[in-house]
Amino acid sequence: MADSVNFTNKDRQHKTVFFETFGCQMNKLDAELSLGLLQEEGYRIVDKADEADVILFNTCSVRQHAEDKVYSHLGALKMLKKRHPEVVVGVLGCMAQKDGEAIFKRMPHVDLVCGTRMFSRLPELLLTIKNQGSHVLAIDEDQIVSVKRPVAYRPNFYQAFVTVMRGCDNFCSYCIVPYVRGGEISRTIADVKEEVQSLVSNGCKEVTLLGQNINSYGKGLAGGITLGHLLSELNDLDGLERIRFVTSHPADMSRDLIRTMSRLSKVCEHLHMPAQSGSDRILQEMRRGYTAGYYRDLISYARELIPYIAVASDFIVGFPGEMDEDFQETVRLMEDIRFQNCFIFKYSPRTGTKAAELKDDVVDEVKRARNMKLLELQKSISLEQNRKMIGRKVEVLVEGASKSDSHKLSGRTRQNHIVVFNGPAVLVGRLVNVVIHEVTDLTLYGKPEDCS
Ligand code: SAH
Ligand code: SF4
Ligand code: F3S
């Protein structure tokens, strides 16, 4: 937590902040927590950078493209900063951790570089910049992030993300995350439970537990604690309706955890477990620690115990040395498993990782073609899977107005399908049974049972 800092009333007045986040859900949640801290200090959020006293980017380094985007956004602020030198520009998160001091060299108008384990000190760091007029670098890795969550500031009232562990010890050969997020640190069950309880007391009905490698939750905690134990404890909380967790790693996903999932009524039938490739040779090069056969067996076991479980995956195409035969194995895996949805990425070499020592020898044209092929295949599978839902009754947690049509309501099923339907606003925040009558590859459309 931040060392105690005395904020004067003047510091609290009329401060505005613009915040943009790149990257994964954990980064989005860190942004939410950071904003919560700033709001508690009197900052008001604005949605235009040129109206803000403080402009912050929470950044991602997972692929080159994510970094390029941030540098281009930063470059675009040069003029604004010239006109208004008093405006504070800050870079937070994974790219801040990775590039550190180099960001000031490349973008001298940046005032703050704040790494992945320092954001809880944001109010204090901003005050230092203001008082000392110099830029601040805060990328200490030894910090344990501990933020007393201001629950009132969450973006979705009925659904919240909760970080249960930070960092990753897996070092998949292509991945920058362990370098920018540090080693695995799990929060205690009591700590997580207290946060979930306060969210529930504040109206939240569904939580998604976050960890880069969530199946190894508990490692390092006393008493042989596992994710199963945490799920069991949360399942007992009154008022909480649903629990999800992401992201699962096949090598760390135990059959015991699948049995626990099947037993606990609040744990949703939803598993995001990236396969990354269907080729054993490539999986080995990626240092994933399992084979495609092992992955298939795990999914079969999960489907045996939890028949309606929806499985989602990530895939990387164009990893160094990926031959057409390897890619065909990935296509076969996708065809056989029939995922509910998949994220497909073109391999992007990350300096410092093991795979970056290999030649990035799959040309971009081939990466693009493989990417397209998997996207199209998955789209057809998602549509086919969703068509099976027609005529079925699903339980939807109604989140609010639909983004595509504000006259309609939108929510999610336990399997994480998005459902859009006509209904009165009083249904928001409730669990409603909806009968599905139309689908696309991304959305289910239906009619609420009690309003028909
Ligand atoms: N911790 C999660 C997610 C990590 S990053 C997990 O292990 O599943 C999210 C996804 O980005 C990964 O699943 C992977 O598919 C992709 N990814 C990671 N590094 C990448 C790289 N260098 N190039 C392309 N995609 C990458
Ligand atoms: Fe990256 Fe692998 Fe860790 Fe996921 S499990 S964050 S892909 S190193
Ligand atoms: Fe990106 Fe960092 Fe997440 S690198 S994917 S924002 S952990």
Side-chain angles (χ1 to χ4, degrees), residues 161-173:
F161 293 93
V162 174
T163 298
V164 301
M165 63 181 297
R166 289 184 176 271
C168 181
D169 293 342
N170 269 3
F171 291 92
C172 301
S173 67

Side-chain angles (χ1 to χ4, degrees), residues 166-395:
R166 289 184 176 271
C168 181
D169 293 342
N170 269 3
F171 291 92
C172 301
S173 67
Y174 50 80
C175 185
I176 196 74
V177 171
Y179 302 90
V180 292
R181 287 261 167 190
E184 289 173 7
I185 301 178
S186 295
R187 295 173 65 190
T188 62
I189 290 189
D191 199 13
V192 174
K193 221 170 147 181
E194 189 188 322
E195 182 171 324
V196 175
Q197 180 61 67
S198 67
L199 285 162
V200 170
S201 305
N202 197 258
C204 180
K205 303 246 164 108
E206 176 181 311
V207 290
T208 302
L209 311 180
L210 297 180
Q212 292 297 345
N213 183 24
I214 199 157
N215 306 126
S216 67
Y217 170 81
K219 200 168 90 182
L221 293 179
I225 294 296
T226 64
L227 181 61
H229 294 119
L230 176 63
L231 293 173
S232 301
E233 293 259 346
L234 295 180
N235 199 68
D236 291 340
L237 286 183
D238 283 341
L240 180 64
E241 303 279 2
R242 290 173 170 187
I243 308 165
R244 304 180 195 279
F245 59 91
V246 288
T247 307
S248 286
H249 190 300
D252 294 318
M253 178 78 192
S254 68
R255 292 188 173 219
D256 193 40
L257 180 63
I258 296 174
R259 285 192 291 275
T260 305
M261 285 177 77
S262 73
R263 204 167 41 75
L264 298 175
S265 62
K266 294 180 184 173
V267 176
C268 292
E269 297 78 12
H270 172 225
L271 191 61
H272 183 186
M273 187 162 73
Q276 310 295 4
S277 172
S279 153
D280 288 347
R281 197 177 65 81
I282 296 294
L283 285 171
Q284 194 171 8
E285 291 281 315
M286 288 176 162
R287 306 214 309 208
R288 289 289 287 179
Y290 55 88
T291 61
Y294 183 87
Y295 186 91
R296 285 166 194 266
D297 288 349
L298 212 50
I299 301 291
S300 302
Y301 186 72
R303 284 181 168 158
E304 216 174 280
L305 262 65
I306 312 167
Y308 284 116
I309 194 164
V311 186
S313 179
D314 299 355
F315 286 99
I316 296 176
V317 293
F319 184 84
E322 186 186 67
M323 310 290 281
D324 203 45
E325 300 89 273
D326 298 307
F327 177 65
Q328 290 313 324
E329 297 280 353
T330 300
V331 170
R332 249 194 305 280
L333 185 72
M334 208 183 221
E335 281 173 344
D336 292 348
I337 301 275
R338 310 204 86 67
F339 296 100
Q340 172 161 294
N341 67 299
C342 287
F343 299 94
I344 326 277
F345 304 106
K346 288 191 296 173
Y347 171 69
S348 167
R350 308 282 64 214
T351 308
T353 62
K354 202 80 195 131
E357 295 165 15
L358 304 169
K359 189 160 180 275
D360 182 18
D361 58 355
V362 180
V363 294
D364 197 54
E365 202 186 324
V366 173
K367 282 184 187 166
R368 225 175 316 146
R370 289 179 183 167
N371 190 22
M372 283 298 290
K373 162 83 189 168
L374 291 191
L375 283 173
E376 275 163 25
L377 175 60
Q378 183 53 47
K379 193 175 158 127
S380 70
I381 292 172
S382 296
L383 183 60
E384 169 211 279
Q385 301 278 79
N386 285 352
R387 280 200 180 122
K388 288 188 197 152
M389 303 300 291
I390 294 176
R392 275 222 220 132
K393 185 165 72 181
V394 291
E395 181 202 90

